[in-house]
Amino acid sequence: MAWAGTGVLWMMSGGIMRSYGMSQLIDKTTGGLKKGLTIPSSDFSFVQISDSHIGFNKAANPDVVGTLQAAIDKINAMSSAPAFVLHTGDLTHLAQADEFDTLEQSLKSVKTEKIFYVPGEHDFTDNGKLYLERFGKGTKGNGYYSFDANGVHFIGLNNVTNHVDGGLGYLGPDQLKWLENDLQPLTNSTPIVVFAHIPLWAIYPQWGWGTEDSAQALALLKRFGSVSVLNGHIHQTIQKVEGNMTFHTACSTAFPQPAPGSAPSAGPMKVPAEKLRTMLGLTLVDYKEHDHTLAITDTPLIA
Amino acid sequence: MKKLTILILLAGATILGSATIAQNTGDSQYTNLRVLSRNITSKELMGIMTDDIDDGLGVSCGFCHAPAADGHGLDFASDAKPEKKIARGMMRMTLTMNKRYFKVRHPLLGAPSLVLTCATCHNGQALPVMEQ
């Protein structure tokens, strides 16, 4: 597999998180891993994709279906199929039925067992009516849920109910209470993966890149030895490690946004056509149970 | 002084605008549209709200729309938030200025033919930054 652009490989071993910039790992002349480096084997892997914005047709990317398909092709080209795919929201741009149809149709070709979703604010502009009709079965409240896979507890949250001025995410008391009850029977050693659309850490609140009441959720997660928080929304890769928690935001499959504070506001960013696919991508997560290894690798779309 | 002049110009244009926009009639899935056409499609409406207003002002729906009484989502028809009234005035002003000063014959929000849009002045900020 050829790699290009930026990204980070996360490895957790014995509770210690280490990160490696992709530039440290990639041989720029060949596009492959540097000689002597090997990606550790894993018990299972899953992929995160985000912010497909099906229906978007502005200059920043007039072909969002095409770039989603490029992400799907990347997934299908992996040497072993991921156990499942997480889509961290903004499936659509305008929450229209035909946009949801197109997304579902496209994702049918992904070689994986299942796709899990959480909504983005663009999917919830009708208060989530269409989204919940399609993806809300078996979920609680306005679309949150949890499941277990290979000993890892996954929690999908909805923080896009638009209750907060300024665009910040919001979980709300009902969801927080549910989260508390959901976590209650778990031992501290259970690895946790939380996924939600808007970052659960304050990346740049001036642009709404944070969640107003996330501190309450993170307090509930603090006792666990390994917590990975996967988000979308900001259309770029940013990571932070705080204690046992690893925060990671994924690239969009549709269009990039400016780095925090580098422009007057957030929003679709037009880049030269040849650069676009280097700024879009997907995230692969490998988990190895006995080594307590969780490796998160971002892959740009460009070959 | 420059700031005052701009505000007077905008206010004047808003008043003119409210007189020039035709009332729409017909069935609608929306119950409280005052500026946008009552026959607007969901896609057109969401496009204006998302691409013009949200991105233009750097806000999300809750900036203008009040929370629903049952605590789930937003009450889009409600006029409880004063920001919504201001937004209507701004939409009227935008249409009027496009027609009056930029000679756009049939200005429609969301249309690519508009010369002035929300983003022209707001530039991604809820409150436009004006030179002193």
Side-chain angles (χ1 to χ4, degrees):
Chain A
M1 183 183 294
W3 304 82
T6 59
V8 171
L9 173 70
W10 289 99
M11 296 182 69
M12 189 162 68
S13 186
I16 298 170
M17 186 69 69
R18 290 182 184 145
S19 66
Y20 304 89
M22 292 299 288
S23 58
Q24 294 172 274
L25 305 175
I26 302 304
D27 184 331
K28 286 176 184 167
T29 56
T30 64
L33 285 175
K34 283 180 180 170
K35 201 173 176 184
L37 282 175
T38 53
I39 297 289
S41 61
S42 60
D43 289 346
F44 86 112
S45 66
F46 63 93
V47 162
Q48 178 193 7
I49 58 173
S50 199
D51 295 272
S52 303
H53 284 268
I54 299 300
F56 180 85
N57 56 9
K58 301 283 192 293
N61 182 3
D63 183 19
V64 294
V65 176
T67 48
L68 173 62
Q69 189 57 52
I72 293 169
D73 293 344
K74 283 273 181 194
I75 297 169
N76 290 343
M78 287 174 177
S79 53
S80 58
F84 51 83
V85 170
L86 304 180
H87 195 306
T88 46
D90 281 355
L91 289 59
T92 67
H93 192 59
L94 302 175
Q96 300 297 302
D98 63 322
E99 296 175 350
F100 282 115
D101 288 344
T102 301
L103 177 100
E104 286 189 283
Q105 202 58 40
S106 296
L107 292 182
K108 273 183 185 168
S109 65
V110 180
K111 290 177 185 166
T112 191
E113 289 294 312
K114 192 167 170 54
I115 301 174
F116 295 94
Y117 300 89
V118 287
E121 78 281 7
H122 283 260
D123 305 313
F124 243 65
T125 49
D126 60 351
N127 283 331
K129 185 174 177 296
L130 283 181
Y131 172 87
L132 292 172
E133 278 174 13
R134 288 162 188 254
F135 306 109
K137 290 182 186 71
T139 66
K140 312 285 184 190
N142 54 19
Y144 41 88
Y145 58 99
S146 65
F147 64 93
D148 295 288
N150 292 59
V152 179
H153 189 66
F154 289 80
I155 303 166
L157 299 177
N158 177 356
N159 59 354
V160 297
T161 51
N162 292 323
H163 283 203
V164 183
D165 285 358
L168 285 171
Y170 180 75
L171 295 163
D174 291 352
Q175 189 167 198
L176 287 165
K177 187 66 194 168
W178 169 84
L179 178 62
E180 183 179 0
N181 292 336
D182 184 68
L183 295 171
Q184 198 270 332
L186 303 178
T187 63
N188 292 353
S189 60
T190 307
I192 307 285
V193 173
V194 179
F195 58 108
H197 181 63
I198 299 177
L200 291 171
W201 47 298
I203 293 179
Y204 199 66
Q206 298 93 318
W207 287 0
W209 290 3
T211 298
E212 188 181 70
D213 51 358
S214 63
Q216 295 171 65
L218 299 180
L220 296 170
L221 293 162
K222 203 171 179 181
R223 69 180 171 92
F224 293 95
S226 167
V227 179
S228 301
V229 181
L230 306 178
N231 301 121
H233 189 55
I234 68 169
H235 297 214
Q236 60 199 283
T237 302
I238 295 182
Q239 300 86 25
K240 183 178 86 155
V241 180
E242 193 171 294
N244 293 331
M245 292 189 198
T246 303
F247 298 86
H248 182 280
T249 60
C251 284
S252 164
T253 66
F255 55 83
Q257 292 204 70
S262 67
S265 64
M269 182 170 72
K270 189 172 182 337
V271 296
E274 68 276 11
K275 237 187 129 184
L276 176 63
R277 292 185 181 215
T278 68
M279 302 178 81
L280 309 177
L282 53 91
T283 298
L284 172 69
V285 182
D286 286 310
Y287 175 69
K288 190 167 184 180
E289 186 178 357
H290 299 297
D291 288 351
H292 301 281
T293 300
L294 185 68
I296 302 176
T297 311
D298 295 295
T299 309
L301 294 186
I302 197 167
Chain B
M1 189 59 194
K2 187 178 178 185
K3 188 174 177 181
L4 183 64
T5 308
I6 292 170
L7 286 174
I8 291 169
L9 177 67
L10 295 183
T14 302
I15 293 163
L16 281 169
S18 52
T20 57
I21 290 160
Q23 288 294 308
N24 297 296
T25 56
D27 294 334
S28 172
Q29 59 180 313
Y30 305 108
T31 57
N32 193 20
L33 294 179
R34 304 287 179 86
V35 179
L36 299 167
S37 166
R38 289 180 190 173
N39 299 319
I40 195 168
T41 65
S42 168
K43 189 172 277 190
E44 289 166 340
L45 179 63
M46 293 304 177
I48 292 166
M49 294 295 151
T50 300
D51 296 330
D52 293 86
I53 298 178
D54 284 10
D55 284 352
L57 276 69
V59 299
S60 61
C61 310
F63 185 75
C64 292
H65 295 286
D70 64 3
H72 295 284
L74 298 170
D75 181 350
F76 291 105
S78 167
D79 289 338
K81 292 196 73 173
E83 288 86 350
K84 190 175 179 185
K85 188 178 179 185
I86 295 168
R88 283 187 176 126
M90 290 288 160
M91 287 194 277
R92 291 186 176 109
M93 177 194 74
T94 303
L95 292 170
T96 301
M97 292 181 77
N98 274 283
K99 188 170 187 174
R100 192 177 179 89
Y101 300 106
F102 294 94
K103 310 301 178 198
V104 180
R105 290 187 67 184
H106 302 291
L108 282 173
L109 289 169
S113 58
L114 289 190
V115 178
L116 287 180
T117 66
C118 306
T120 306
C121 295
H122 282 270
N123 197 23
Q125 307 295 315
L127 299 174
V129 178
M130 289 188 280
E131 288 179 24
Q132 297 298 311

